Amino acid sequence: MKLHEYQAKEVFAEAGIPVPDSQLAESVDEAVAAAEEIGYPVAVKAQVHVGGRGKAGGIKLAENEEEAREAAEAILGMDLKGYTVESVLVEAGVDFVNELYVGVTMDRGEGKPVAMVSTQGGVNIEEVAEENPEAIAREHVDPAFGMHPYQARKAVYDAGVDREHSRDVASILTTLYDLYEERDASDIEVNPVMITSDGDVIAADAVMNIDDDALFRQPDLEEMQEAAYENDLERKAGEYGFDYVRLEGNVGIIGNGAGLVMTTLDLVDYYGGQPANFLDIGGGAKAERVTNALDMVFSDENVDSVVFNIFGGITRGDEVAKGINEALEQFDEIPKPVTVRLAGTNAEEGMEILNTDLVKVEKTLEDAVQRAVSDAEEVNQ
Amino acid sequence: MKLHEYQAKEVFAEAGIPVPDSQLAESVDEAVAAAEEIGYPVAVKAQVHVGGRGKAGGIKLAENEEEAREAAEAILGMDLKGYTVESVLVEAGVDFVNELYVGVTMDRGEGKPVAMVSTQGGVNIEEVAEENPEAIAREHVDPAFGMHPYQARKAVYDAGVDREHSRDVASILTTLYDLYEERDASDIEVNPVMITSDGDVIAADAVMNIDDDALFRQPDLEEMQEAAYENDLERKAGEYGFDYVRLEGNVGIIGNGAGLVMTTLDLVDYYGGQPANFLDIGGGAKAERVTNALDMVFSDENVDSVVFNIFGGITRGDEVAKGINEALEQFDEIPKPVTVRLAGTNAEEGMEILNTDLVKVEKTLEDAVQRAVSDAEEVNQ
Amino acid sequence: MSILVDDDTRVVVQGITGGEGKFHAGQMIEYGTNVVAGAVPGKGGQEVHGVPVYDTVHQAVEAEDADASVVFVPPAFAGDALFEALDTDLDLVVAITEGIPTQDMAKVYKRLSEVDTRLIGPNCPGIITPGEAKLGILPGNIFESGNVGLVSRSGTLTYQVVSNLTDRGIGQTTAIGIGGDPIIGTDFVDALELFEEDEDTDAVVMCGEIGGEDEEEAAAYIAEHMDTPVAGFIAGRTAPPGKRMGHAGAIVSGSGTGTAQSKIDALNDAGVPVGDTPEEVADHIEDFL
Amino acid sequence: MSILVDDDTRVVVQGITGGEGKFHAGQMIEYGTNVVAGAVPGKGGQEVHGVPVYDTVHQAVEAEDADASVVFVPPAFAGDALFEALDTDLDLVVAITEGIPTQDMAKVYKRLSEVDTRLIGPNCPGIITPGEAKLGILPGNIFESGNVGLVSRSGTLTYQVVSNLTDRGIGQTTAIGIGGDPIIGTDFVDALELFEEDEDTDAVVMCGEIGGEDEEEAAAYIAEHMDTPVAGFIAGRTAPPGKRMGHAGAIVSGSGTGTAQSKIDALNDAGVPVGDTPEEVADHIEDFL
């Protein structure tokens, strides 16, 4: 789960990290009122989970009411890399002399969190990591002990932060690590940490992604989930409890097991089609879950055909087939052509049971995918 | 620092451990009023840091007002192994069917905390440990990870606690460990944990000793210190910042460094005397600290003579001698004979400086101790 | 004949009284696995499928002389269950549970470095030596005893590839699902090392997917240390950066590390053919044998 | 000639800008110790007694090729300073600080088991090889180079015993104060082992005190492994149970473990004479030589 900037800043501020004054606005008038209250200059920042918002026009500075209105008008409702901007954060402009990067993430190779500090903040840190890796000081943290204070200092000194600001920056890093640990973050970062002309150290941006698997013990963050969804399909997947990722193609994909679903996507691509989504229906395939999965894929207007790929392990193919029949029988008309492939335990029995008035049946994965791809092509012709 | 039972129970109750209703009383009337409010039967319990309070008459049960009055009268003001009882805890009587022991302490040999559970509660656990060690289930805790839930369960099951109560007992152990860690305890225990006839699990006693070296980060516990002192001498030592232990003899002892002071005590005993106290004056020996140390030893009415044993390491003997002179010159009359022995850096210069009108001077530790022992014998003749 | 598990393996099932645990313990026993005990706090003294249940893993291991456990404990309690298992002297712990918080697993991973026990998983289908023992949820009927080792980050994809092999009459020595989480116990290199040492394994299938650098490390290991031929498959070629594809570990980072292409290139450079489809993987294995 | 430290030892002083740190760094340098750096966060770039100060121990160790550190950091921050020192590749860390919370030391002790660095202390006077180097606060002038090793839990008691030796013309190879806390790095057995291996150490004084079972373990070690003769002293014969005698570790438990008598008996059983007075200890050593 990705928090919006404004949500992350609420969490950071509560933990004692200095952030600029700001207000969330969902309309142009709200944005202007917020700017007036905060005082100029302000930054108007699109609240979407898209990297490089600034370059894409999602952040604008405003020196006065007119500029604030223009900025809010330009940003609210804009399409930013496929996401519609529904709210902006209006934030006090910071007069900075220096920008740093401070963050914590999991180094999965090491199985340990890693704290990072760089004096090259304000730009894409992943580019810095690629082009100039020694510009990022890294400190691995033993998760049993947590981050020792010396590690925060070491990262800050190693990164070359001025001695004058080192204590404040180390303090932000320490708080970020504590939040990372206490709030089950998967990534947490401030980029940039701004050093103001007055020598203050302030978190000008905020990224906080939460481990979905740990949300059960972060009830207050889970409450932020609703506002963190980017669109209706994400919200629907969240409600149904599906692992779902929307892509840009037109072949809808439903399967069981992450690896097999990814493989199905890959095969759609391999056979010349374009996958519309990743949807893992998980173990079993009761009618209700099948119904929900079809609802999701059918609700995506981009989808022109659907491939349903189930490898029954412990689950028996005949039971899955019954579930699919039941689910599809609820529709008066099947909105988009569905190809089903069942494999594994009792697959043949299952294929026999499937109602071929409702679905097309293929025996191999390869054939099922090719059928769905050609169905999608037909629709587009 | 040892918390009184009532203090420890406040901490335990706040952490969610079930304890009986209770009230602290410092007079017989208060005790009776408390008993009336709580309802009979009650236990009236002396609040002193003495093991085996019950056997020594420091705990009495009362079924009615008359018995409550008698109990409070008997206990308040009584001398319990050298300590005067200044307050009692009046506590609801518990109708128990079983008594367990649950505790956490540091196993210094392993460098790890150890959690302990036994079904042989209600008696001196150290006796159980000696006579029937397998009656105590022990679980060492890795201090980097803290106690895992399985460890609490394992200790409880290994101890043979009824499956019916195991969850509640494990929960008390888990809370005790958390308190042990969060509150920098050196020992924490409940003995007994009572299983009531209704199947409830309740902490009927409470021991919580805090690591003195960690009190700086336990400000709320530090506030309990004042009430936790057992007598004026302890309070005075606390205020002066001395490591001080009162013993039962009549030769007062002041020295620098724990090992050397202990050795001085041992030599007093070796030469036929009886040490009155352990007092480590610490590094250096400025006049103020010497004055305070002498004030402490002189305030102990048992003391008949004093030996002052300083081994100057980095501190120079002549400076120590000046400090001793200055301190003793403040007295119109030296209340008890003082023998001084200086050794180490500039010891000879120091011995020459010492004002022999005020103190006796000996060159070796052995001679100084013997002199103080014979001085004390003389007073007693 | 196999690696890690065989018909001598004495198995404790942690969480045997839960829905999943009970069902799969039954399946494991039916397959012939030597399930000797269950462990569930508070359920000691009960029996499940005729197997005695103990309150703690220690009691189960001691009483039944077990040397492996399979963990079906729900994710919120699974980290603790793993610490419990690692505190005994088991040789092998197989964690089936999906959805263990990553930070819990980071602590378990630290603990793993302090003990001699091997962990497989979590978020994995388990391990099977066809005809001898299965520890986990793999459907026994699709496997067949033979001379190909299989190691995979994925469950159903494993079944797919195994069917492609079994359908051609190619059996398996042992198949291991190492799990789809970012932090796992046994990784590709560990498993490949075991297959390389196993005399009966004549070829190995390795099914990787996007995320992390395990496949790249495996490629380096294969190039340097393996004589046994390996065929690969990598899922997630079409995955966009920054999106978690079902598995917590299946994510291409924003900077473009962990891509399928990087893994395919590394494997190809190590002389490992990577199939475009599961069928092609079976083709490569057939060529090796 | 010595154990652990000599005139080649390159020392970092952690906390060199504080009152204690600065004073004793001066004393150490005056004694001839090769103090090469200080480490104090925020004070990098300064100099103390002509020694360069760095912001982190890592920087100090790398820049000055140090192999040992002495810690004079106040107790609230000392645990962190020890973790910092143990994260470098120093051979030896000597912690002088008194009053480190026991639970902080328990964590440090765990960390010690994961690294190759030796810790002496905390709450100790340090270590000295007379005429070569001292790391700590021991008064150099009472020591003399010779052939007796000394290991002690106490500071001033050590000075007392050393004077008794030096006064008779008996010098020391190395003297180690292992510290009076319940949890310490180097213990008696570790130190005795080093003295046993040291060719120039012909006899060893071991000054123990009440609390814990280190002396009993040392007695067992001496009986089984040592040829070098050992004389002992145990402080705290008159200590009542349950009272902490100055040192955090000097406490006889309520059940009567950790008593002086138990330690004296164990040592006597191991053939170690225990002096009733410091003078008697010197007598025993004189007899050995």
Side-chain angles (χ1 to χ4, degrees), chain C residues 74-130:
Chain C
F77 310 104
D80 186 46
L82 290 177
F83 271 101
E84 183 172 5
L86 295 179
D87 193 28
T88 64
D89 57 354
L90 291 170
D91 297 327
L92 180 68
V93 176
V94 180
I96 306 304
T97 311
E98 178 177 358
I100 303 178
T102 305
Q103 297 197 20
D104 292 3
M105 273 312 298
K107 293 198 175 86
V108 169
Y109 193 77
K110 155 91 177 170
R111 180 74 185 134
L112 263 182
S113 70
E114 303 173 335
V115 299
D116 291 327
T117 305
R118 171 184 295 279
L119 173 68
I120 294 179
N123 188 14
C124 81
I127 176 169
I128 185 167
T129 292

Side-chain angles (χ1 to χ4, degrees), chain B residues 161-203:
Chain B
V161 174
D162 288 342
R163 202 166 281 118
E164 192 183 340
H165 306 112
S166 55
R167 188 189 288 262
D168 288 342
V169 179
S171 158
I172 289 181
L173 177 55
T174 300
T175 309
L176 283 186
Y177 185 84
D178 290 346
L179 286 173
Y180 173 86
E181 189 178 276
E182 287 161 18
R183 312 315 301 269
D184 277 303
S186 52
D187 299 288
I188 189 163
E189 65 177 46
V190 178
N191 185 19
V193 169
M194 287 179 174
I195 313 278
T196 71
S197 45
D198 299 334
D200 291 336
V201 173
I202 194 162

Side-chain angles (χ1 to χ4, degrees), chain B residues 263 267 270-271 365-366, chain D residues 148-152 157-166 168 170 203-208 229-235 237 264 267-268 272-289:
Chain B
T263 300
L267 288 182
Y270 180 71
Y271 289 117
L365 172 55
E366 290 78 1
Chain D
V148 173
L150 188 140
V151 54
S152 171
L157 175 59
T158 306
Y159 311 161
Q160 172 70 48
V161 174
V162 166
S163 314
N164 292 106
L165 293 173
T166 301
R168 299 174 187 219
I170 301 173
V204 179
V205 176
M206 169 187 156
C207 293
V230 180
F233 185 79
I234 300 292
R237 298 169 186 224
I264 292 168
L267 287 168
N268 284 339
V272 175
V274 177
D276 285 324
T277 67
E279 275 294 334
E280 274 187 36
V281 178
D283 291 344
H284 291 304
I285 292 293
E286 208 162 24
D287 289 349
F288 290 150
L289 299 176

Side-chain angles (χ1 to χ4, degrees), chain A residues 239-282:
Chain A
E239 281 160 12
Y240 288 154
F242 288 137
D243 280 320
Y244 174 84
V245 177
R246 195 182 185 200
L247 299 164
E248 286 166 12
N250 61 345
V251 179
I253 292 153
I254 301 172
N256 67 330
L260 189 60
V261 179
M262 274 190 274
T263 300
T264 313
L265 267 70
D266 293 350
L267 288 182
V268 166
D269 176 71
Y270 180 72
Y271 289 116
Q274 286 184 301
N277 67 273
F278 171 103
L279 195 168
D280 182 359
I281 196 170

Side-chain angles (χ1 to χ4, degrees), chain C residues 164-287:
Chain C
N164 291 106
L165 293 174
T166 302
D167 285 353
R168 297 174 188 219
I170 302 174
Q172 301 87 41
T173 46
T174 297
I176 311 177
I178 58 174
D181 271 3
I183 300 178
I184 54 175
T186 299
D187 60 16
F188 278 123
V189 171
D190 298 329
L192 291 171
E193 209 168 350
L194 291 165
F195 282 128
E196 174 70 8
E197 284 163 15
D198 179 45
E199 283 183 11
D200 295 298
T201 298
D202 295 332
V204 179
V205 176
M206 168 186 156
C207 294
E209 62 188 36
I210 51 163
E213 298 183 4
D214 257 25
E215 290 80 358
E216 286 85 341
E217 284 163 23
Y221 173 80
I222 293 166
E224 221 174 314
H225 301 289
M226 281 188 83
D227 291 325
T228 313
V230 179
F233 185 79
I234 300 293
R237 298 171 188 222
T238 48
K243 300 286 184 184
R244 165 176 153 169
M245 304 300 273
H247 283 161
I251 183 165
V252 172
S253 82
S255 62
T257 63
T259 61
Q261 198 55 53
S262 141
K263 294 165 191 298
I264 293 168
D265 290 347
L267 287 168
N268 285 339
D269 288 350
V272 175
V274 177
D276 284 325
T277 67
E279 274 295 334
E280 273 187 37
V281 177
D283 291 343
H284 290 305
I285 291 293
E286 208 162 26
D287 290 346

Side-chain angles (χ1 to χ4, degrees), chain B residues 242 285-293 323 326-327 330:
Chain B
F242 288 137
K286 294 239 171 90
E288 193 194 341
R289 276 187 86 71
V290 175
T291 308
N292 292 345
E326 274 181 52
Q330 294 170 29

